[in-house]
Amino acid sequence: MAFDTPISLVGPRRAPAQMLAEQDIGGQTSVHDGDTADKLGLVGAPIEGPTHFSQFDPLGVCLWGQRWFEDGCISSHFLNMVVEGEEVRPALTPSTAAAATIGAEKADGTPVLTGTASVGRDDVTDLDERRKRGQGDPGELHIIDQISVGMDTLQGREPHVVTMGFDEHNGPLYPFTLQQKLDMITEPCSWYNADGDSPWGTPIVPTEMLSVLAHKHGPHLPVRRPSVGLFIDLEVRYVNGPVFVGRSYQLDHQVVGIGQSRRVESWWTETTLTDIETGLHAATVLLHQGVFKASFADYPADAGRETG
């Protein structure tokens, strides 16, 4: 090609809906509750980060076709929270035939997330280096001090087998059904619908809902409570996709990193989704989540807890 000018695919501005206001984490509210967000000094209750992934699905399909849902990967670091009513615009800039950088910003230019998108197995994702940093010494911890790298988040329980039906409840962490999400999703797609035209012959689960499926049964790690959490990084990788509505998947979880910053203690969890019907590894969800130090009343004052 004569030019090396980067050309971006840019989606329309969308205002994603807040659907976690009633989220219940072991009997306590979450950062998505308005009063809880206010106590932490946030401007409002944030939209759940995975919601933004739906705005990239049309861009991925535009660039790579249905392969996006078969062996595509979106890898993202969340930069700034979005509250309901704010608009977000996604952009995808190809760097090779199989890889691209991604970003999203609010209407005023405030960055929402940055990351990578790709297809195939040879990519280096946005979270590769960030995840490596979570494998070093995290220093002294006070909220997640009982968590260790390599820990099975099921804590000896039998592996979970989950499905995502249209009208199936997704548990207290995600108090909405797939159909309710599809009624509010920023980018409707006929491939998601029961009476749609999915090229695989059956409706598929949107990318943003794979993190819901992966964490449908809630946390089983010894995080000290009450404390309020947030998503920091998220990667969804299709291996032998898509993930299908109504299909059964076995979940296997493992802690793959631990760390902390000035305001947050955090851990990385890798979840493998195995298709029960075929025995194939369908997808992997890598989640970096944290807890605000300021939300834990017993956090030592001399350990750098911030209250604002």
Side-chain angles (χ1 to χ4, degrees):
M1 184 176 177
F3 296 97
D4 59 4
T5 305
I7 305 297
S8 298
L9 299 175
V10 180
R13 288 196 181 100
R14 302 293 197 202
Q18 167 60 273
M19 298 187 71
L20 290 186
E22 303 300 321
Q23 187 178 52
D24 183 336
I25 303 177
Q28 72 172 80
T29 57
S30 73
V31 71
H32 305 287
D33 169 73
D35 290 341
T36 302
D38 184 62
K39 291 176 183 176
L40 289 168
L42 305 178
V43 297
I47 301 296
E48 54 272 27
T51 303
H52 304 305
F53 281 12
S54 278
Q55 291 186 256
F56 289 96
D57 281 336
L59 306 185
V61 171
C62 181
L63 190 60
W64 294 300
Q66 68 184 61
R67 185 180 177 187
W68 172 248
F69 289 108
E70 295 172 341
D71 66 355
C73 177
I74 182 168
S75 184
S76 171
H77 173 55
F78 299 113
L79 295 169
N80 288 290
M81 296 178 177
V82 175
V83 299
E84 193 164 48
E86 291 185 309
E87 293 185 328
V88 177
R89 169 171 283 176
L92 182 152
T93 305
S95 51
T96 69
T101 57
I102 62 170
E105 62 180 30
K106 301 182 186 182
D108 65 0
T110 301
V112 173
L113 61 81
T114 185
T116 56
S118 56
V119 290
R121 301 287 178 271
D122 299 326
D123 56 325
V124 175
T125 75
D126 183 67
L127 298 191
D128 285 342
E129 287 301 317
R130 293 180 59 80
R131 174 179 169 176
K132 288 177 183 177
R133 292 199 294 271
Q135 295 171 342
D137 182 2
E140 187 175 12
L141 301 169
H142 302 278
I143 307 175
I144 63 169
D145 54 299
Q146 301 173 87
I147 298 176
S148 59
V149 173
M151 181 179 286
D152 179 346
T153 70
L154 292 176
Q155 297 286 283
R157 298 175 178 86
E158 289 296 318
H160 285 142
V161 175
V162 297
T163 60
M164 181 168 285
F166 286 109
D167 298 313
E168 187 177 346
H169 196 273
N170 288 302
L173 281 183
Y174 300 98
F176 53 83
T177 65
L178 173 59
Q179 188 57 58
Q180 288 172 327
K181 168 59 72 172
L182 295 179
D183 290 342
M184 303 290 287
I185 201 166
T186 58
E187 314 302 326
C189 176
S190 60
W191 295 355
Y192 304 152
N193 300 333
D195 58 353
D197 58 352
S198 162
W200 301 275
T202 190
I204 66 173
V205 176
T207 303
E208 72 160 282
M209 292 295 284
L210 264 64
S211 66
V212 174
L213 187 62
H215 301 96
K216 186 169 181 174
H217 284 283
H220 294 288
L221 288 171
V223 177
R224 298 188 187 276
R225 307 287 185 187
S227 54
V228 178
L230 75 162
F231 283 7
I232 304 168
D233 302 285
L234 179 65
E235 179 177 293
V236 174
R237 178 184 292 278
Y238 294 101
V239 180
N240 292 284
V243 171
F244 296 107
V245 176
R247 187 77 65 87
S248 294
Y249 294 90
Q250 178 176 309
L251 305 181
D252 294 284
H253 310 264
Q254 187 176 49
V255 176
V256 294
I258 296 175
Q260 68 173 313
S261 65
R262 214 161 33 93
R263 298 186 66 188
V264 170
E265 292 187 4
S266 64
W267 68 99
W268 296 77
T269 304
E270 186 175 80
T271 305
T272 300
L273 287 75
T274 302
D275 188 325
I276 295 294
E277 183 176 313
T278 64
L280 294 175
H281 177 185
T284 299
V285 177
L286 176 65
L287 174 62
H288 181 202
Q289 58 190 313
V291 283
F292 289 102
K293 296 177 180 179
S295 71
F296 186 58
D298 294 331
Y299 209 89
D302 60 356
R305 183 183 69 177
E306 292 191 357
T307 57

